[in-house]
């Protein structure tokens, strides 16, 4: 192993006999060294191997900004998660998660908390990564004495998911969450009500929207346009129909997808159920 590039006294880019490059960390590892000199193996504390020079450069830049003990903490978190999940993450996680942990610790110590809008989806669709992230924050608490929230478990879990995938599934989850929030907002504004998130009807409605959105993104929507039942419901539940039509327009405008009468039926029934309960509660309180 010889020195290929020196970043500072404690960080070098090394190259072995197979021409493989790696970032080497060690106290005084580059002291009195020049390019081409042999690396003293006794001074190597940590080794990071990246598949691309771009990731190597990003990691070196990060090393110059982040305390080394937090770099080591991120490494421990990553190695623990890989064992628990029985996977090998893409090497980019050493950059993304290290930066995230450093920033998160800084935020918490400044009293700044951020809500995770994807928390439900992360727990639902990525339970193994979520559990690994739960163990990760225990490790962070042990070394940094900072107790992170459940929202942060979700953020770290996303790093674990992303490091196994090409990012497409994450983007789908984000879009599903956006669709759910937008449709709930349509219902709230149409009826001028607040929805009680603790009710069974609300839970059923949200679950329906999530599955609808995922079927839509997978091109698996129901396509029947049988008009008989739709007309019966339409005549009885006029307000829910008007609200569902707004949902239909939103989907068409946002994703250029046309919703069939069959899909509309389900929306009308769910909207009527969740809105009727809230209207009944409001009437009782007046």
């Amino acid at each position: 192993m010889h020195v290929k590039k020196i970043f500072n006294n404690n960080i070098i880019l090394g190259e072995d006999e197979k021409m493989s490059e790696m970032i080497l960390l060690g106290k005084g590892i580059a002291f009195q060294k020049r390019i081409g000199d042999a690396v003293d193996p006794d001074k190597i504390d940590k080794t990071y191997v990246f598949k691309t020079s771009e990731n190597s450069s990003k990691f070196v830049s990060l090393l110059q900004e982040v305390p080394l003990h937090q770099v080591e903490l991120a490494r421990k978190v990553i190695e623990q998660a890989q064992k628990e999940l029985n996977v090998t993450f893409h090497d980019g996680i050493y950059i993304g998660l290290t930066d995230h942990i450093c920033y998160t610790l800084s935020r918490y110590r400044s009293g700044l908390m951020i809500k995770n809008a994807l928390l439900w989806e992360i727990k639902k669709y990525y339970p193994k990564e979520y559990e690994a992230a739960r163990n990760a924050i225990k490790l962070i608490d042990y070394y940094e004495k900072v107790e992170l929230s459940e929202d942060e478990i979700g953020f770290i879990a996303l790093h674990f998911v992303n490091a196994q995938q090409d990012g497409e599934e994450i983007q789908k989850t984000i879009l599903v969450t956006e669709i759910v929030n937008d449709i709930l907002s349509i219902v709230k504004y149409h009826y001028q009500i607040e929805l009680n998130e603790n009710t069974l009807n609300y839970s059923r409605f949200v679950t329906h929207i999530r599955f609808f959105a995922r079927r839509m993104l997978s091109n698996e929507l129901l396509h029947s346009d049988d008009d008989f039942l739709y007309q019966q419901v339409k005549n009885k539940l006029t307000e829910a129909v008007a609200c569902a039509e707004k949902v239909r327009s939103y989907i068409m405008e946002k994703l250029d997808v046309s919703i069939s009468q069959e899909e509309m039926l389900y929306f009308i029934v769910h909207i009527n159920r969740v809105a009727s309960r809230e209207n009944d509660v409001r009437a009782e309180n007046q």
Side-chain angles (χ1 to χ4, degrees):
M1 176 78 67
H2 66 270
V3 178
K4 186 172 183 179
K5 188 173 182 179
I6 297 173
F7 298 104
N8 61 40
N9 213 32
N10 304 312
I11 307 170
I12 65 172
L13 177 67
E15 186 176 67
D16 63 16
E17 62 278 1
K18 296 180 181 179
M19 306 293 287
S20 298
E21 295 182 351
M22 55 206 72
I23 305 296
L24 304 174
L25 275 63
K27 188 174 181 179
I29 194 172
F31 181 65
Q32 294 186 336
K33 293 290 184 181
R34 295 182 179 180
I35 305 300
D37 285 352
V39 177
D40 183 350
D42 292 334
K43 289 192 174 182
I44 300 174
D45 292 330
K46 300 297 175 186
T47 302
Y48 293 86
V49 181
F50 293 93
K51 293 180 179 178
T52 67
S53 58
E54 180 183 2
N55 277 347
S56 292
S57 298
K58 287 180 179 178
F59 188 67
V60 169
S61 296
L62 193 65
L63 288 174
Q64 295 169 339
E65 298 176 8
V66 176
L68 287 180
H69 70 274
Q70 291 183 4
V71 175
E72 178 59 14
L73 173 57
R75 181 190 180 101
K76 286 184 170 72
V77 166
I78 292 166
E79 290 179 350
Q80 175 179 277
Q82 287 184 135
K83 288 180 181 178
E84 292 178 14
L85 297 170
N86 193 27
V87 298
T88 300
F89 293 141
H90 299 324
D91 56 27
I93 192 173
Y94 286 96
I95 301 165
L97 188 59
T98 302
D99 187 49
H100 176 81
I101 289 175
C102 178
Y103 176 62
T104 299
L105 290 171
S106 175
R107 280 197 296 102
Y108 263 69
R109 285 167 175 152
S110 299
L112 178 60
M113 314 296 179
I114 296 178
K115 297 297 292 181
N116 190 337
L118 295 177
L119 186 59
W120 192 96
E121 280 74 15
I122 295 164
K123 294 170 69 173
K124 173 76 173 178
Y125 297 118
Y126 308 109
K128 293 180 181 179
E129 287 81 1
Y130 180 83
E131 191 59 34
R134 183 191 294 279
N135 292 331
I137 69 163
K138 293 177 182 177
L139 199 61
I140 294 170
D141 183 24
Y142 177 80
Y143 284 101
E144 293 287 335
K145 310 305 178 192
V146 174
E147 188 175 346
L148 301 180
S149 69
E150 188 177 33
D151 293 289
E152 298 300 338
I153 297 176
F155 288 130
I156 292 174
L158 274 183
H159 280 277
F160 294 161
V161 173
N162 233 353
Q164 299 173 70
Q165 301 176 347
D166 58 7
E168 183 177 340
E169 185 62 27
I170 288 294
Q171 293 305 314
K172 182 182 289 188
T173 299
I174 292 171
L175 182 54
V176 167
T177 303
E178 186 178 332
I179 292 169
V180 170
N181 290 336
D182 287 348
I183 291 178
L184 289 173
S185 294
I186 289 171
V187 175
K188 291 176 185 177
Y189 283 115
H190 178 84
Y191 284 93
Q192 291 296 297
I193 57 174
E194 286 298 322
L195 300 177
N196 186 346
E197 298 181 7
N198 297 318
T199 65
L200 184 57
N201 285 338
Y202 179 90
S203 178
R204 286 170 176 163
F205 186 38
V206 171
T207 299
H208 171 71
I209 302 172
R210 287 192 177 103
F211 281 113
F212 163 81
R214 287 195 163 267
R215 286 189 289 108
M216 177 173 59
L217 296 176
S218 300
N219 197 28
E220 296 174 355
L221 287 181
L222 303 173
H223 295 294
S224 173
D225 280 318
D226 186 349
D227 209 41
F228 178 73
L229 185 56
Y230 178 77
Q231 289 301 328
Q232 284 188 314
V233 172
K234 184 176 181 180
N235 293 332
K236 291 181 179 179
L237 307 175
T238 55
E239 197 65 30
V241 170
C243 184
E245 287 294 344
K246 292 181 180 178
V247 172
R248 195 207 298 255
S249 297
Y250 158 77
I251 295 297
M252 174 59 77
E253 182 178 343
K254 183 176 183 64
L255 298 166
D256 195 26
V257 174
S258 178
I259 304 178
S260 67
Q261 304 288 58
E262 189 172 0
E263 293 286 2
M264 284 289 287
L265 272 173
Y266 288 111
F267 265 112
I268 292 167
V269 171
H270 278 290
I271 289 171
N272 180 70
R273 183 183 292 165
V274 73
S276 294
R277 185 193 181 284
E278 298 305 327
N279 279 330
D280 290 343
V281 171
R282 184 167 60 181
E284 291 173 2
N285 293 331
Q286 288 179 345

